[in-house]
Amino acid sequence: MAQAFVRKGKKFVGVLDRIERSVVIDLLDQTRELVAPEETEKTGDPFTDLVAGLGDEYDPREVAGRDPVVRRILPDGHRDDPEASAEFRAATERNLREQKTRKLTAAIDLLSGVCERESRIELTEGDAVTLMMALADVRLALGERLGLRTDEDSLKLHADLNSEQALEEPRLTLMYYYEFLTWLQETISLALVD
């Protein structure tokens, strides 16, 4: 059973059993698949590779319109100016996707590297920050799927989880995942400031 991350000297130590780690890894991987940039063949020339990464048919408005989760994780740079937002997205989106993909991959590697029989996870400060940031992206994705946009939405989520009413299974599972990841991320952030 999961135990909060705490600082122990220069390490950050927490406990996740095999099933909990597996769920977190799966959610990290699903989020990584969602934000990963399309692969392009590298030429070795930085400018050519940058332009090629945009693609011949690159339309930032189309990319942002595909999935609300993508819009949540990769928000518009200018909410009130669609044209400026499209230009900003065209210039920054691939790099942001690559950064997020690297963080999510690093977090997956951290949790995958734990021995199957072990539940104890020891992280360096850098690893703890990486995991915390990766969990933030997964929470954004789950939050969007759950329709969480305001404090009132979050309060309703808590009320629904604590109520006796029957909730449909897929939504209930997402709610529990969201709550668990919120707790996990919070324990890491508290340990980091301890």
Side-chain angles (χ1 to χ4, degrees), residues 52-63:
L54 298 177
D56 294 335
E57 301 295 320
Y58 186 77
D59 180 356
R61 289 180 207 132
E62 186 272 328
V63 171

Side-chain angles (χ1 to χ4, degrees), residues 2-112:
Q3 293 178 13
F5 276 88
V6 293
R7 182 187 294 264
K8 293 198 175 182
K10 292 188 177 197
K11 296 285 186 179
F12 298 84
V13 180
V15 174
L16 292 176
D17 68 28
R18 184 182 54 79
I19 294 171
E20 291 162 340
R21 273 194 327 274
S22 175
V23 167
V24 174
I25 289 169
D26 187 48
L27 293 168
L28 288 163
D29 188 47
Q30 288 177 41
T31 305
R32 177 178 61 180
E33 287 177 18
L34 193 62
V35 300
E38 289 185 24
E39 290 298 317
T40 58
E41 196 171 314
K42 302 289 183 194
T43 67
D45 176 52
F47 181 74
T48 303
D49 291 343
L50 174 67
V51 172
L54 298 177
D56 294 335
E57 301 295 320
Y58 186 77
D59 180 356
R61 289 180 207 132
E62 186 272 328
V63 171
R66 275 189 220 157
D67 189 328
V69 171
V70 173
R71 285 194 311 267
R72 185 84 176 262
I73 296 174
L74 306 168
D76 288 335
H78 302 276
R79 291 186 182 150
D80 299 330
D81 186 344
E83 191 172 313
S85 183
E87 288 175 19
F88 181 78
R89 185 174 290 280
T92 63
E93 182 172 312
R94 181 163 187 87
N95 186 42
L96 184 57
R97 283 178 180 265
E98 288 171 348
Q99 288 175 7
K100 288 184 177 291
T101 300
R102 280 192 300 272
K103 286 240 187 280
L104 290 159
T105 299
I108 290 167
D109 292 345
L110 287 169
L111 296 178
S112 298

Side-chain angles (χ1 to χ4, degrees), residues 20 25 27 39 83 104 121 127 140 148 157 185-186:
E20 291 162 340
I25 289 169
L27 293 168
E39 290 298 317
E83 191 172 313
L104 290 159
I121 299 170
D127 293 341
L140 282 173
L148 302 178
L157 173 88
Q185 184 185 25
E186 185 176 283

Side-chain angles (χ1 to χ4, degrees), residues 5 16 20-21 23-25 27-28 31 73 100 103-104 107-108 111 123 127-143 177-178 180-189:
F5 276 88
L16 292 176
E20 291 162 340
R21 273 194 327 274
V23 167
V24 174
I25 289 169
L27 293 168
L28 288 163
T31 305
I73 296 174
K100 288 184 177 291
K103 286 240 187 280
L104 290 159
I108 290 167
L111 296 178
L123 304 173
D127 293 341
V129 169
T130 295
L131 181 56
M132 184 179 67
M133 291 173 71
L135 291 173
D137 284 335
V138 177
R139 287 184 59 244
L140 282 173
L142 289 174
Y177 287 168
Y178 182 84
F180 179 72
L181 294 181
T182 299
W183 169 82
L184 184 61
Q185 184 185 25
E186 185 176 283
T187 72
I188 296 169
S189 65

